[in-house]
């Protein structure tokens, strides 16, 4: 089962790479904020139909969730806008390296402190060194 979810995550990463270049090109034609809006509009429409035909959850439970859990949409919109702005300027690879390093940095902090109710996985010297090397890789890649 872990392998299936790892492959699913890999597929999500592949989709992010394609999303970067597609949204970057869209941004050149219609504007960065407009491209981000169009991307979310198309995604919202797709999700609407998935919920309509396959959803098994309870949308009314939204009133019961902690309000902080509703920030995901804002973070997603910010992420798409960043892709639209950065990809045409620095390319898909440099954008994705930076995104991945950012994800690993925040993931390491979340794990270390057990933030948002997660399990604690402490940072050690090797992990910190690896993160510093990844930060350096962004600089090296751009030179």
């Amino acid at each position: 089962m872990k392998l299936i979810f790892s492959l699913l995550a890999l597929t999500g990463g592949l989709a992010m790479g394609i999303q970067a270049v597609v949204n970057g090109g869209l941004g050149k034609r219609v504007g960065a904020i407009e491209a981000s809006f169009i991307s979310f509009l198309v995604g919202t429409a797709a999700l609407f139909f998935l919920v309509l035909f396959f959803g098994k959850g309870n949308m009314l439970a939204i009133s019961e969730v902690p309000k902080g859990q509703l920030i995901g949409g804002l973070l997603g919109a910010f992420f798409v806008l960043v892709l639209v702005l950065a990809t045409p300027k620095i390319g898909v690879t440099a954008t994705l390296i930076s995104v991945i390093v950012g994800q690993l940095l925040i993931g390491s902090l979340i794990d270390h402190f057990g933030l948002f109710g997660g399990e604690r996985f402490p940072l050690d010297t090797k992990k910190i060194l690896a993160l510093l090397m990844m930060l350096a890789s962004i600089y090296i890649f751009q030179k």
Side-chain angles (χ1 to χ4, degrees):
M1 189 56 96
K2 283 185 179 182
L3 179 61
I4 291 171
F5 283 107
S6 294
L7 291 173
L8 182 63
L10 177 69
T11 305
L14 295 171
M16 272 180 49
I18 296 167
Q19 180 188 30
V21 70
V22 169
N23 284 345
L26 182 62
K28 283 188 203 174
R29 294 189 180 267
V30 302
I33 296 172
E34 294 79 2
S36 300
F37 175 75
I38 291 166
S39 177
F40 262 77
L41 185 64
V42 171
T44 299
L47 288 172
F48 172 77
F49 287 109
L50 285 173
V51 167
L52 188 65
F53 294 111
F54 303 107
K56 294 186 182 359
N58 179 9
M59 293 288 284
L60 298 177
I62 191 172
S63 63
E64 300 167 15
V65 301
K67 299 308 173 221
Q69 291 180 347
L70 301 177
I71 196 172
L74 290 175
L75 294 171
F78 175 72
F79 173 72
V80 169
L81 181 59
V82 166
L83 287 183
V84 170
L85 292 170
T87 303
K89 302 290 185 201
I90 63 173
V92 175
T93 307
T95 300
L96 293 178
I97 287 172
S98 300
V99 164
I100 290 166
V101 172
Q103 289 172 330
L104 292 171
L105 285 170
I106 195 63
S108 296
L109 291 174
I110 291 169
D111 280 349
H112 180 75
F113 294 108
L115 300 176
F116 309 109
E119 193 82 21
R120 290 192 71 207
F121 298 92
L123 276 173
D124 59 19
T125 306
K126 283 191 248 180
K127 290 178 184 177
I128 292 170
L129 182 59
L131 290 169
L132 290 173
M133 289 177 9
M134 285 183 238
L135 282 169
S137 76
I138 296 171
Y139 175 78
I140 294 167
F141 192 84
Q142 292 297 321
K143 291 294 174 184

